[in-house]
Structures are given as C-alpha cells and as structure tokens.
C-alpha cells in the first residue's frame, strides 16, 4: 500500500466524530439458539468490541468480523438487534469501499495520510454515513445487546 503526503482539508477529526459516534453505537449484531456458545464467542470478541468503542481505528476490521460470527450465534432474544447492527456494519463497509478505502487503512486516514486511489469527495462523506448510524433504532439495538450480554453472559461491553 502506498501512501501520499496529502492531508485532508479538514483535520483528521473529519472521521473522528463520526467514528466515535458509530463505535459507541456498535456494541453489538442476528440468530442462533445456544446461549453458552454465543456467550463464549462474545467473551472472545469483547476485546475487539471494547477497542472499537474506545475509538481504535484498527479495531474496525476485527470487530466487524466478530459481529458476523456473533450474528450467526445470537440467541433469539437479540437476533433482531444483531441484524440491525449488521445493517450498520454493511453500510460502513460499503461506504469505505465506495471511497476506495479499506477498513485497515483507517488509522492512516485518521493521521492525515491518504492512501492512493481514495476518492476524497467520498471520503469526506464517510462522516455523514457514520453519523446516520446514531439513530434511535441503532442505539436501542446496541443497548439491548449490551443488556443481554450483562444479564445472560455476565459480560460488560465497553469497559
């Protein structure tokens, strides 16, 4: 991957506010029946999810992969909520791809290093996409997943 010394016209915080909003909402993902297996997977994924919530741009890729697994294993009580989370994850992944950016390049973007081939106009639209995820539906899904994790798995997300 080549990077250039181009800088964003707005500060590196271009995505920062949107990423923080999305990462706070992205505490969670759609449908299995074995709560024990789900809790085990959630326990393993907790570090990635917590890093995402802390705003670590490097956590997006691994956390999103964990969301897919959790979505498949989620018990019925939170299956719909995980589906909502996965819709948001897909929107983020699509927006990044549309801008010509991979999730693992986000750290570079946050420091102002823009990889070659990135569509700057679409990159600047990413913060809008991320802010759109701060919806009541998305936040309610996140809250329900967090509450379920605490009650059924004895796992506190976001610590």
């Amino acid at each position: 991957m080549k990077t250039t010394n181009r800088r964003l016209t707005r500060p590196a915080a271009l995505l920062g506010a949107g990423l923080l909003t999305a990462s706070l909402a992205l505490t969670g993902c759609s449908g299995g029946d074995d709560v024990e297996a789900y809790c085990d997977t959630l326990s393993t994924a907790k570090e990635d999810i917590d890093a995402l919530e802390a705003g670590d741009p490097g956590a997006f890729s691994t956390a999103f992969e964990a969301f897919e697994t959790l979505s498949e294993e989620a018990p019925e009580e939170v299956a719909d909520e995980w589906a909502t989370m996965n819709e948001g994850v897909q929107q983020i992944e699509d927006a990044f791809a549309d801008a010509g950016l991979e999730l693992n390049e986000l750290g570079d973007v946050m420091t102002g290093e823009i990889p070659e081939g990135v569509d700057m106009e679409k990159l600047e639209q990413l913060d809008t996409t991320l802010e759109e995820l701060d919806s009541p539906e998305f936040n309610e899904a996140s809250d329900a997943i967090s509450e379920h994790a605490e009650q059924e798995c004895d796992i506190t997300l976001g610590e």
Side-chain angles (χ1 to χ4, degrees):
M1 169 182 77
K2 292 183 179 179
T3 59
T4 65
N5 288 328
R6 292 187 296 161
R7 301 270 183 205
L8 289 174
T9 55
R10 297 191 287 185
L14 166 72
L15 294 177
L19 290 174
L20 181 58
T21 298
S23 67
L24 290 174
L26 283 173
T27 312
C29 304
S30 223
D33 290 325
D34 187 350
V35 174
E36 186 175 339
Y38 167 78
C39 290
D40 288 345
T41 301
L42 186 59
S43 178
T44 301
K46 181 184 179 341
E47 184 176 324
D48 294 326
I49 293 169
D50 290 350
L52 181 67
E53 286 194 359
D56 178 0
F60 269 77
S61 184
T62 56
F64 286 1
E65 288 173 17
F67 287 179
E68 289 181 36
T69 302
L70 287 163
S71 174
E72 294 168 5
E73 294 183 9
E76 187 176 322
E77 299 87 5
V78 289
D80 290 343
E81 288 79 3
W82 277 110
T84 298
M85 300 309 283
N86 273 333
E87 288 173 17
V89 166
Q90 190 61 54
Q91 288 175 355
I92 293 170
E93 290 176 335
D94 290 348
F96 272 73
D98 194 38
L101 187 65
E102 294 183 26
L103 289 175
N104 63 358
E105 296 173 316
L106 185 56
D108 294 335
V109 172
M110 295 294 291
T111 62
E113 297 296 320
I114 309 301
E116 285 186 28
V118 170
D119 183 323
M120 292 300 292
E121 186 175 310
K122 290 181 180 178
L123 177 64
E124 290 181 0
Q125 293 172 2
L126 282 175
D127 61 338
T128 302
T129 300
L130 295 170
E131 287 172 5
E132 289 171 358
L133 294 177
D134 189 24
S135 68
E137 179 185 29
F138 203 75
N139 290 328
E140 287 170 14
S142 175
D143 291 345
I145 289 168
S146 294
E147 184 177 321
H148 183 269
E150 181 92 29
Q151 291 176 354
E152 297 298 324
C153 305
D154 198 28
I155 295 172
T156 303
L157 299 172
E159 287 189 329

